[in-house]
Structure formats: structure tokens, C-alpha cells
Amino acid sequence: MLTDAILHVLYTLAQWRFLMLFACIMLALAASALPPFRPRADGQARFRSLIPLPLGIALGVGNLIFGPDISTVLVHRFGTKGQATVTGSYDTGNSYNDRRVMGHNVLIKTADERTIQTSFEDDDFNVYPPANGVYYPQQGDVFNVSYIESFPEDFIIISNDDSPWAHALRCFGLMSAVHEADGKQRFAPKSAEFRKSYEDALQTARAAGCKAAGSE
């Protein structure tokens, strides 16, 4: 399908965004020497040779910054839903922002009951919805994915649905708010504001089905 092919290209560009930045710059430099951009012997139209480089840099940087988010949103919108689990992890030998990049082996159960072996790395930012702070499933976690039907190895992780992992992730955030509010109201027990904040946070966590502090 044409849609799957386009999604696959966008997904691949996002995964190889650093390499694509270098490739865009190199291609732009090479294009500067082609007849449409090369200045004439008399030196006229020299500015034309400067056009490809900023264009190549803009495309490469745009893919570097926005590529993962765009591909994640599109694969979630047009992909096929499946269930997955992490079976193991490995050290990629690379670093990102002074942090070791880990890879994770994944099994995906597709909509037609096939089992696909694939993987992701924790600098892929392949989690929907996109966010600045990304949490990834760990070994044994069960979660839902959206994958490209013709390329099932290309997938994104869904963090806002009702999968066991997404539920645990949601409860982690809610319970963090409960513990923070509890610490404030314990430090200042006479504060009606802190007491109400704690009760509201606790009620929200319980409504979400989390095992909240103070629940029976």
C-alpha cells in the first residue's frame, strides 16, 4: 500500500535522523556543483550555488527535531493495533545526552495473530503521545502498539490506553502527585490548602483504579 510505504519512509528517516542530517548536508554540497546552481564562468549568479546548503541543513535539522514526533503521530493514526511485550534488553554501545542507550527486544502479536520479532532503542522516541520526558516499557511489560501493516517491525508504543503497562505508568504519575501532596500536608498539617490538595490527588488516583495510599 502507498500509505504504508510513505509511513515506512518517514519512520526510517526519523530513526536515522542523525545520519540523515549528515546526508542532507552532503547532498546539498554536491548539488551546489550541478548546472542549475553552479555559477557561470563570468561569476554571475554566484548566489545560486548557496541555495542548496541552507535548504539541506533546514531539511536535516527539521527531521532531527520533528521527525520522531511526526512519524509517531502518523503511525498511530494510520497504523494497525497490536499487543507487544519486551523480552530482553541489550547495551547498544552508544550514548545520547551523556546517557547509555539501551536496546529492547520486542515480540508483537499482530491483528491477524502473527508474532513478529523486532526491537527499539530508548533514544527512538517512538512513544505516543509524544512528550519531552519519555518512559519505555521494560522486560516483561505488556503494552499496546500501532504498527505499519506492510512493515510490522516499524511500530510505536501507546502510553495512554488501557494496557497493563500504560495503566501502571499512569498510576505512577498519579501516585507521585499523591506522595508529594502528602509530604506537604504532613509538614504543614494546619494548612487547609495542602490538606485539600492531598485529598484531591488521592481521589484522582483512586478513580483511575490505582492502588492509592489509604485505600483498603
Side-chain angles (χ1 to χ4, degrees):
M1 294 177 59
L2 179 59
T3 301
D4 285 2
I6 294 173
L7 289 176
H8 176 62
V9 170
L10 293 175
Y11 184 92
T12 302
L13 290 176
Q15 299 307 303
W16 294 93
R17 56 194 180 278
F18 293 104
L19 179 60
M20 290 309 303
L21 174 60
F22 176 77
C24 285
I25 294 175
M26 292 298 100
L27 288 174
L29 290 173
S32 298
L34 296 177
F37 302 104
R38 188 174 56 213
R40 297 200 303 265
D42 58 7
Q44 294 184 11
R46 182 177 298 276
F47 74 94
R48 292 187 303 182
S49 65
L50 303 177
I51 294 176
L53 184 57
L55 181 61
I57 293 175
L59 289 174
V61 172
N63 180 65
L64 181 69
I65 297 174
F66 303 109
D69 287 356
I70 292 173
S71 66
T72 294
V73 170
L74 291 177
V75 172
H76 180 265
R77 172 65 178 82
F78 297 103
T80 303
K81 299 299 184 291
Q83 190 177 61
T85 186
V86 174
T87 60
S89 301
Y90 57 92
D91 190 335
T92 65
N94 299 321
S95 296
Y96 182 82
N97 286 343
D98 297 323
R99 181 182 57 82
R100 203 70 168 175
V101 176
M102 298 298 295
H104 305 278
N105 295 316
V106 174
L107 288 180
I108 296 177
K109 185 179 293 183
T110 65
D112 55 359
E113 297 298 321
R114 291 180 295 150
T115 299
I116 305 297
Q117 297 188 65
T118 183
S119 64
F120 71 92
E121 296 179 1
D122 56 17
D123 65 343
D124 286 344
F125 301 104
N126 60 332
V127 178
Y128 180 90
N132 290 330
V134 179
Y135 293 92
Y136 296 95
Q138 301 300 309
Q139 186 169 354
D141 286 335
V142 177
F143 53 97
N144 293 327
V145 299
S146 185
Y147 62 90
I148 303 174
E149 189 169 4
S150 300
F151 305 90
E153 294 83 4
D154 299 349
F155 70 97
I156 59 99
I157 299 164
I158 303 173
S159 67
N160 65 344
D161 62 2
D162 58 354
S163 72
W165 171 74
H167 176 74
L169 182 63
R170 185 161 52 250
C171 285
F172 174 79
L174 293 174
M175 288 306 301
S176 294
V178 170
H179 294 317
E180 181 178 358
D182 184 41
K184 290 180 179 179
Q185 64 105 23
R186 287 178 183 274
F187 184 78
K190 294 182 180 181
S191 172
E193 178 185 354
F194 289 162
R195 184 165 58 252
K196 185 178 185 306
S197 295
Y198 169 70
E199 292 171 352
D200 289 346
L202 190 61
Q203 183 177 1
T204 301
R206 286 174 174 170
C210 304
K211 189 178 179 181
S215 61
E216 299 182 356

